[in-house]
Amino acid sequence: MRLHSLIPTIPSDFVNVLEACGIRTDTDILFSGTPIDILQRLPPGVVSLADLKTYIGLVAESTSARGIRGDELYTEELQRRRDHDTDITCGVAELDTLVSGFGNGRVFEISGDRGSGKTSLVLQIALRLLTTCRDVSVLWMDTTGGFSAERTSEIAQQLDGEGSSTVLERLQVSLVLNIETAHALLEDIESSLTVRMLD
């Protein structure tokens, strides 16, 4: 950061003297030696050692990141998780009890033989999430081309919740037949999320 941007924290005439001596940025004043080294580079009588130390302290304070206490950060994270805590069930009581529900930032791997109900289970979880949370969208990556809009609509109509009227609008389906397409899709999502976070 240029020292001129710190005026009036540091007097402008003092900043001009520093710049004439090659000290133009916060990095220059903070890391170009001790306060005595800097004082020796300046013309005599421009500033006292005590004032120079004060100005260096002001520069350090102005350019430093604010301190973060670990306990406060942990408490904030716990509160954020409680506020966004969404525990979704799949509708199979035994399975819901076994895994304590789906969601809350956990990752599940569902495997089984062809036709064993993996897709139906995951579709049920996704639709339950959409009916429970109005401000959520789901991306369904169809890797076989077998996604059935009719079947999905039928299941969605059986579920009740505050977001049930817009479930199909918030379920985005993409045909992904190879890994390159999957990577491109995930990169697009990451980019759009980054843009939203910056807004």
Side-chain angles (χ1 to χ4, degrees):
M1 172 186 305
R2 306 262 325 158
L3 291 178
H4 264 288
S5 66
L6 296 175
I7 296 171
T9 304
I10 300 175
S12 60
D13 54 339
F14 181 58
V15 170
N16 292 334
V17 170
L18 288 170
E19 287 189 343
C21 295
I23 301 171
R24 294 179 176 82
T25 67
D26 58 339
T27 304
D28 294 338
I29 198 167
L30 294 173
F31 302 109
S32 63
T34 66
I36 293 174
D37 295 334
I38 294 171
L39 189 63
Q40 290 174 344
R41 292 172 58 183
L42 300 175
V46 171
V47 66
S48 69
L49 180 59
D51 286 344
L52 178 60
K53 287 180 179 180
T54 299
Y55 295 145
I56 291 172
L58 291 171
V59 171
E61 185 179 316
S62 297
T63 58
S64 298
R66 73 172 185 89
I68 300 174
R69 289 182 37 188
D71 62 330
E72 290 174 356
L73 192 60
Y74 180 69
T75 302
E76 289 172 15
E77 178 62 18
L78 287 178
Q79 185 60 47
R80 185 191 66 76
R81 287 185 181 190
R82 277 192 293 272
D83 293 345
H84 294 44
D85 190 17
T86 306
D87 201 17
I88 303 302
T89 62
C90 68
V92 178
E94 295 83 5
L95 182 57
D96 289 329
T97 301
L98 179 67
V99 298
S100 300
F102 295 86
N104 298 326
R106 295 178 293 156
V107 176
F108 293 89
E109 180 178 349
I110 300 170
S111 62
D113 293 333
R114 186 179 207 55
S116 63
K118 300 178 300 290
T119 301
S120 296
L121 174 64
V122 175
L123 182 60
Q124 187 75 234
I125 295 167
L127 293 175
R128 284 175 178 267
L129 173 65
L130 290 168
T131 57
T132 304
C133 304
R134 298 186 87 144
D135 60 344
V136 169
S137 294
V138 170
L139 172 64
W140 186 272
M141 296 195 321
D142 181 3
T143 59
T144 63
F147 180 82
S148 170
E150 288 178 24
R151 182 170 139 232
T152 303
S153 179
E154 289 171 5
I155 296 170
Q157 289 173 4
Q158 296 171 6
L159 300 174
D160 291 327
E162 65 177 73
S164 59
S165 63
T166 60
V167 165
L168 297 178
E169 295 168 19
R170 294 179 291 117
L171 177 64
Q172 302 168 17
V173 181
S174 293
L175 184 61
V176 179
L177 299 177
N178 58 48
I179 194 69
E180 291 80 18
T181 306
H183 280 262
L185 184 60
L186 293 173
E187 286 173 5
D188 288 346
I189 291 170
E190 182 180 28
S191 295
S192 70
L193 290 175
T194 302
V195 169
R196 284 186 198 160
M197 287 172 62
L198 294 175
D199 291 345

